Amino acid sequence: MTATIIDGKAFAARVREQVGEHVSRLKADHGITPGLAVVLVGADPASEVYVRSKGKMTVEVGMKSLEHRLEADTEEADLLALIAQLNADPAIHGILVQLPLPKHLNEDLVINAIDPAKDVDGFHISNVGLLGTGQKSMVPCTPLGCLMMLREHHGSLSGMDAVIIGRSNIVGKPMAQLLLNDSCTVTIAHSRTKDLAEVVRRADIVVAAVGRPEMVPGDWIKPGATIIDVGINRLDAPEKGEGKTRLVGDVDFASCVDVAGAITPVPGGVGPMTIACLLANTVTACCRANGLAEPEGLTA
Ligand code: NAD
């Protein structure tokens, strides 16, 4: 069997198109332009790349993008003051503080200072609680993107066995909650899980979010299972030339593709969906703030 490749890049382009259409309607019918503010503290090179591409895509779908770049030694009180200002600004519907923050800043404190209604990353403790109790919330972008791809591929997920490898607050735990809300039987595996191979073998859906290159081999996969590979790992690739690198996931694509029913590639799978879902969350937040109908299919 050769798995269907779930094309996250194409799917993300469709999501962005849908967001763009909704933004056009908000402008034409209500004179509202959704606004996303991204706050970057310090100059972490990976974060710089993310922030640039988030800004570019925000503008491409017709929304307003504001970037706030603060020095690495910014004091917590100053960052909190900026967040308070953005919370109070009616032209801003989404606020994202790029993580990780420099060590002297308390990430939990900073994230929980964001107005939950503008928390487009879905990391605020109120949104975590709302998601955990099956209520309307802002949903973390990466797991939301994974859920959209799974729903698109399977239709209903009801009754499926899902195994998530990784228990982070950003991916593993919210992913589990979303799949539980869609009536999957959910197992969260992690670094202390005994006999991970056996646990993964019973899964109809495997979501790998670990950060260890190609750790899931094909012989852990139940034939026909769907694999969502969240991992992004950069490896040296001397075969491409000196100093070159390549990206791989947490799943050994070469051996899994022959066993799985469907699989997301790395790159081109989950990654592009994450930014598309950030844009989707911003337009959703804007609609909620204005008491307008939310776009269909862009939330959990
Ligand atoms: P994290 O480091 O916060 O969590 C990793 C999890 O993996 C932990 O819960 C840990 O228990 C588990 N783990 C570690 N070693 C393990 C092992 N040997 N067996 C089983 N479980 C093990 O990571 P994260 O933030 O959840 O990210 C995970 C991966 O996903 C990373 O590669 C990250 O770059 C990637 N990621 C991608 C996107 C995207 O947009 N595609 C977004 C977020 C994270």
Side-chain angles (χ1 to χ4, degrees):
M1 177 193 292
T2 299
T4 301
I5 310 296
I6 300 177
D7 186 344
K9 202 170 160 194
F11 195 160
R14 290 203 299 279
V15 170
R16 290 199 303 274
E17 203 177 297
Q18 246 181 298
V19 170
E21 285 164 8
H22 210 82
V23 170
S24 300
R25 279 199 296 276
L26 281 172
K27 285 181 182 174
D29 299 347
H30 305 281
I32 299 169
T33 304
L36 172 65
V38 177
V39 180
L40 176 63
V41 186
D44 175 64
S47 295
E48 289 270 4
V49 174
Y50 287 134
V51 167
R52 252 199 315 277
S53 74
K54 282 169 186 170
K56 182 170 164 272
M57 291 192 183
T58 304
V59 171
E60 274 171 13
V61 295
M63 303 199 289
K64 197 162 55 183
S65 162
L66 277 108
E67 280 175 28
H68 291 269
R69 290 166 182 272
L70 306 182
E71 296 296 329
D73 60 357
T74 295
E75 287 189 20
E76 200 163 80
D78 293 331
L79 177 55
L80 293 175
L82 172 62
I83 292 172
Q85 182 195 319
L86 296 170
N87 283 343
D89 186 344
I92 296 297
H93 305 95
I95 303 169
L96 180 151
V97 176
Q98 184 66 42
L99 301 179
L101 287 172
K103 293 269 176 293
H104 68 285
L105 299 169
N106 179 337
E107 266 181 19
D108 288 340
L109 188 80
V110 170
I111 296 304
N112 290 327
I114 298 172
D115 177 349
K118 298 189 180 188
D119 167 38
V120 282
D121 252 344
F123 297 158
H124 190 289
I125 194 75
S126 297
N127 282 316
V128 175
L130 290 167
L131 178 63
T133 48
Q135 300 180 68
K136 198 186 256 192
S137 65
M138 296 307 302
V139 178
C141 304
T142 300
L144 177 59
C146 296
L147 181 74
M148 282 185 186
M149 290 193 284
L150 285 166
R151 282 180 177 168
E152 164 92 356
H153 186 72
H154 286 285
S156 169
L157 306 179
S158 181
M160 296 179 84
D161 272 315
V163 171
I164 298 151
I165 318 174
R167 57 177 159 182
S168 73
N169 290 337
I170 292 174
V171 188
K173 282 187 215 157
M175 187 76 248
Q177 212 59 66
L178 288 169
L179 292 174
L180 197 56
N181 292 349
D182 265 30
S183 301
C184 290
T185 303
V186 179
T187 303
I188 306 184
H190 47 77
S191 52
R192 303 293 175 90
T193 297
K194 285 187 207 146
D195 204 351
L196 183 59
E198 268 317 300
V199 172
V200 173
R201 263 183 210 118
R202 53 174 198 252
D204 303 311
I205 294 170
V206 180
V207 180
V210 182
R212 289 169 68 102
E214 300 173 326
M215 73 166 275
V216 179
D219 66 1
W220 289 13
I221 302 298
K222 176 158 105 178
T226 298
I227 302 174
I228 304 289
D229 191 352
V230 182
I232 302 177
N233 309 287
R234 197 168 281 283
L235 298 183
D236 290 337
E239 73 280 4
K240 289 165 82 182
E242 204 187 309
K244 296 281 183 201
T245 59
R246 66 190 171 98
L247 288 183
V248 299
D250 289 343
V251 166
D252 176 35
F253 188 88
S255 59
C256 288
V257 76
D258 290 334
V259 191
I263 185 167
T264 60
V266 178
V270 176
M273 285 299 288
T274 297
I275 296 189
C277 287
L278 171 67
L279 305 176
N281 277 350
T282 305
V283 82
T284 298
C286 177
C287 292
R288 287 180 188 169
N290 288 285
L292 299 169
E294 294 171 24
E296 276 187 27
L298 295 183
T299 48

